[in-house]
Amino acid sequence: MARTRRPLIAGNWKMNGLRADGLALAKGVADGVKQAGWSDRDVLVCPPATLVLAVAEAVKGSGVLVGGENCHAKANGAHTGEIAAEMLHDCGATYVIVGHSERRADCGETDAIVRAKAEAAWRAGLVPIVCIGETLAEREAGKTLSVLETQLKGSVPAGSTAANLVVAYEPVWAIGTGKTPTTPEVAAAHAHIRKVLGGLTGEAAQFRLLYGGSVKGSNAAELLAAGDVDGALVGGASLKADEFLAIAKAA
């Protein structure tokens, strides 16, 4: 059966890149996407907040989309050091990552906070990419599917549709470690996520589900071919244009 969901390859730059580095990387990705002429997949880069505006201007007209790595739940106010979804939108972003495991761990973000941020993204006209994933201890205890279900039910807002929200599954233990689940394990996790979404929305079959966690050019084709995988949320490999483009090509 032919794939009906449009693949999305998203790069999460994390806390990397000064202006010169970021612009060079953005230009490399933009040039590669333009040269490839893809019309059947979406390519997204999510730079740190300091680079969103410059990167959005650098990739304009290339087809490359731009997103933020995080946003606050409020539109404005006394929240020193935070960035509102409206600010990201104002800089040219169309997506924003919320609930990444590094935010959940480093900043204590709960499912409720993640849900509020996803709703804030909608308020600003952005599509949130809601991240979920289990730790190594949870996987070894056989709790992977229950953890994913709990996080989904707590993090995905009411009113979510395939057009206004993306879900990214990132096993915490696979991020930046070079380790990845087996393809059947990835497929099983994604199938469970889609099943849980079926109880939350009438559009579960249309939702784009991304896999993240040590995705690189050499394993992208296999991971992206797993059942119910509609793209990737790429970390370290998104910092090299050639590597990121190889992953996008695999989609």
Side-chain angles (χ1 to χ4, degrees):
M1 184 172 144
R3 183 193 294 274
T4 57
R5 297 177 295 269
R6 184 179 176 87
L8 170 63
I9 304 299
N12 176 16
W13 293 6
K14 307 190 181 185
M15 196 175 72
N16 293 292
L18 302 182
R19 184 176 175 84
D21 308 320
L23 290 179
L25 176 56
K27 186 177 185 304
V29 172
D31 288 348
V33 170
K34 278 194 292 187
Q35 186 174 353
W38 293 314
S39 60
D40 59 349
R41 71 204 72 186
D42 291 328
V43 178
L44 167 70
V45 293
C46 298
T50 54
L51 293 176
V52 172
L53 177 60
V55 167
E57 292 176 344
V59 303
K60 193 173 291 182
S62 69
V64 175
L65 304 167
V66 178
E69 297 180 9
N70 176 49
C71 68
H72 195 274
K74 298 294 176 89
N76 51 58
H79 305 288
T80 302
E82 293 287 350
I83 184 166
E86 283 80 359
M87 294 172 175
L88 293 171
H89 184 271
D90 190 46
C91 288
T94 53
Y95 285 78
V96 63
I97 299 167
V98 296
H100 192 279
S101 65
E102 290 158 5
R103 298 283 314 174
R104 290 178 184 260
D106 295 352
C107 305
E109 291 190 3
T110 62
D111 293 337
I113 289 173
V114 176
R115 183 174 65 247
K117 290 185 174 191
E119 291 170 341
W122 292 347
R123 184 188 65 223
L126 303 177
V127 175
I129 299 175
V130 175
C131 299
I132 59 173
E134 83 284 3
T135 64
L136 183 58
E138 289 167 337
R139 170 167 282 270
E140 290 178 341
K143 297 180 179 178
T144 295
L145 299 186
S146 64
V147 168
L148 297 183
E149 184 165 345
T150 297
Q151 290 182 338
L152 269 176
K153 289 180 175 178
S155 304
V156 173
S160 294
T161 68
N164 70 15
L165 187 135
V166 174
V167 174
Y169 166 54
E170 291 198 309
V172 178
W173 53 273
I175 298 173
T177 64
K179 300 176 181 177
T180 57
T182 65
T183 302
E185 287 172 338
V186 171
H190 280 242
H192 186 66
I193 290 168
R194 203 172 296 283
K195 178 182 175 183
V196 175
L197 283 172
L200 303 175
T201 170
E203 297 187 359
Q206 285 78 48
F207 270 81
R208 293 195 286 186
L209 308 183
L210 312 184
Y211 169 75
S214 296
V215 180
K216 44 190 180 284
S218 59
N219 64 12
E222 182 180 356
L223 289 168
L224 292 169
D228 286 302
V229 176
D230 308 306
L233 181 57
V234 186
S238 70
L239 298 176
K240 298 178 181 178
D242 289 348
E243 186 79 3
F244 185 59
L245 289 166
I247 296 168
K249 182 179 181 180

